[in-house]
Amino acid sequence: MVLKSPEGFLLGLFLLGLGGALVLLAQGAGRKRLLRALDPALIPRPRPLPLPYLLAPPLLLLAAGRPEAPLPWRENLTQVVLLVDTSHSMAAQDEAPNRLERAKALAKAFLGGLDPSVKAGLVSFGPQAVLVLSPTADRKALLEALEGLKPGGTTPLGPGLLQAKRLLRPEGAERDLPEARPPAAILLLSDGVANAGQDPLEAASALARASLPVFVRPLGDPRGTVSRIGEGLYFVPTDPLRLLRLAQATGGTVLQEDFRPLYQALRPHYVWRLGQRDLSQGLVVAGFLLLAFGAYGSLAREGRWP
């Protein structure tokens, strides 16, 4: 066991010693006053403190040092990457208020129904494929990262897919171990248009070999739309057929408002890990439970505090 805050432990030890010394001095002074006022035979003998009161201070003292110890714990290895199109076309307003804001709303709805133990990451593409957030169980951090996405630039859909693949199936000496391929999937939120970088269908072949299905949620009017972007009006196309072929090539599917097929693909895959765990909270809870148990016992037996 390691103390992350030895200064906290030493301060607690000092305060505990000081408090104990003051209690002993007060008891000694009170006993002397009783000896002056009463016959020694009538003075009650000091009662020992109940065991819970003796055990609680060491636990709280240890908690002040923020101890860590190697303990076994279960980790869910299942992961998903949200792959969000942030190209210029995502500013089109055929989805209210625009395609990108609609993509954010869909991502939030998906995360709301996702198992909290499943780690989720975020990759954006436009004008470049960018790792925004590595897979994490911290939903607040992921929602904040989503809110920061802005539209602009070209649409490198293929590089975005490969960036997501590197996150979920990293290359390395451990890639052939059973734990190297836990359940994983990609949720692609895009209008389907790709005009930069590698062909998305070539990237799809690499994803299929890595057992990474792509579930797509098409955005925008399938016929395209004329929309005001910046200072001018532009025709902004979509390519839902490309998204369909991409999903089929990787073993995924096209989604609408129902994310259940993706949730089913992200089945939990738990493994036991041995790692350093903070024991402070457990020790604090145990210490206060002992104090409460001691107080209850004293009240039940004698009708008063010790």
Side-chain angles (χ1 to χ4, degrees):
M1 185 169 62
V2 178
L3 295 181
K4 291 181 65 179
S5 178
E7 62 276 9
F9 177 80
L10 293 174
L11 177 61
L13 185 61
F14 170 75
L15 293 176
L16 182 62
L18 180 62
L22 292 175
V23 168
L24 290 175
L25 289 173
Q27 284 183 342
R31 187 168 183 82
K32 288 179 180 178
R33 288 194 296 271
L34 287 175
L35 285 171
R36 289 194 296 267
L38 298 174
D39 189 300
L42 299 177
I43 298 176
R45 293 181 178 180
R47 295 182 303 108
L49 280 174
L51 183 61
Y53 284 100
L54 296 175
L55 294 177
L59 294 180
L60 296 174
L61 175 61
L62 194 58
R66 297 182 60 196
E68 284 190 345
L71 294 175
W73 54 286
R74 292 181 74 204
E75 180 183 8
N76 186 2
L77 298 184
T78 302
Q79 298 184 116
V80 62
V81 165
L82 307 181
L83 184 58
V84 182
D85 188 346
T86 55
S87 62
H88 206 59
S89 64
M90 294 295 285
Q93 298 160 1
D94 49 353
E95 298 267 9
N98 60 44
R99 294 178 186 178
L100 182 56
E101 292 302 318
R102 177 60 174 154
K104 293 179 183 179
L106 289 166
K108 293 175 184 177
F110 165 71
L111 292 172
L114 184 63
D115 185 327
S117 66
V118 174
K119 294 179 181 177
L122 178 62
V123 171
S124 67
F125 59 97
Q128 297 176 339
V130 176
L131 168 58
V132 181
L133 188 67
S134 295
T136 175
D138 187 347
R139 297 289 187 260
K140 181 180 179 181
L142 186 55
L143 292 174
E144 290 176 353
L146 272 170
E147 283 301 322
L149 299 181
K150 304 295 181 185
T154 55
T155 314
L157 175 53
L161 291 167
L162 294 178
Q163 178 66 64
K165 175 184 175 294
R166 284 189 288 271
L167 270 182
L168 297 173
R169 297 286 189 259
E171 295 293 328
E174 301 84 10
R175 65 182 182 274
D176 295 326
L177 296 176
E179 291 184 4
R181 290 201 173 195
I186 297 170
L187 173 58
L188 172 60
L189 301 166
S190 173
D191 55 26
V193 176
N195 54 22
Q198 184 175 357
D199 185 343
L201 293 179
E202 292 181 6
S205 300
L207 294 171
R209 290 192 297 271
S211 302
L212 282 177
V214 178
F215 293 79
V216 299
R217 173 52 167 87
L219 292 161
D221 190 326
R223 300 165 296 180
T225 186
V226 175
S227 183
R228 179 173 295 278
I229 300 178
E231 298 298 324
L233 288 175
Y234 300 90
F235 176 73
V236 187
T238 61
D239 196 346
L241 180 59
R242 183 194 300 272
L243 296 176
L244 173 61
R245 294 172 61 192
L246 180 59
Q248 291 176 337
T250 58
T253 188
V254 176
L255 304 171
Q256 294 303 321
E257 305 301 321
D258 187 0
F259 294 104
R260 279 180 294 181
L262 180 50
Y263 292 145
Q264 292 170 4
L266 296 173
R267 61 191 181 281
H269 180 80
Y270 288 99
V271 296
W272 283 100
R273 301 282 199 194
L274 186 66
Q276 292 290 114
R277 310 296 286 181
D278 192 335
L279 306 180
S280 302
Q281 291 184 355
L283 290 172
V284 169
V285 171
F288 279 105
L289 285 177
L290 284 171
L291 291 175
F293 180 74
Y296 173 78
S298 297
L299 287 172
R301 288 191 308 269
E302 304 174 20
R304 63 186 180 89
W305 302 102

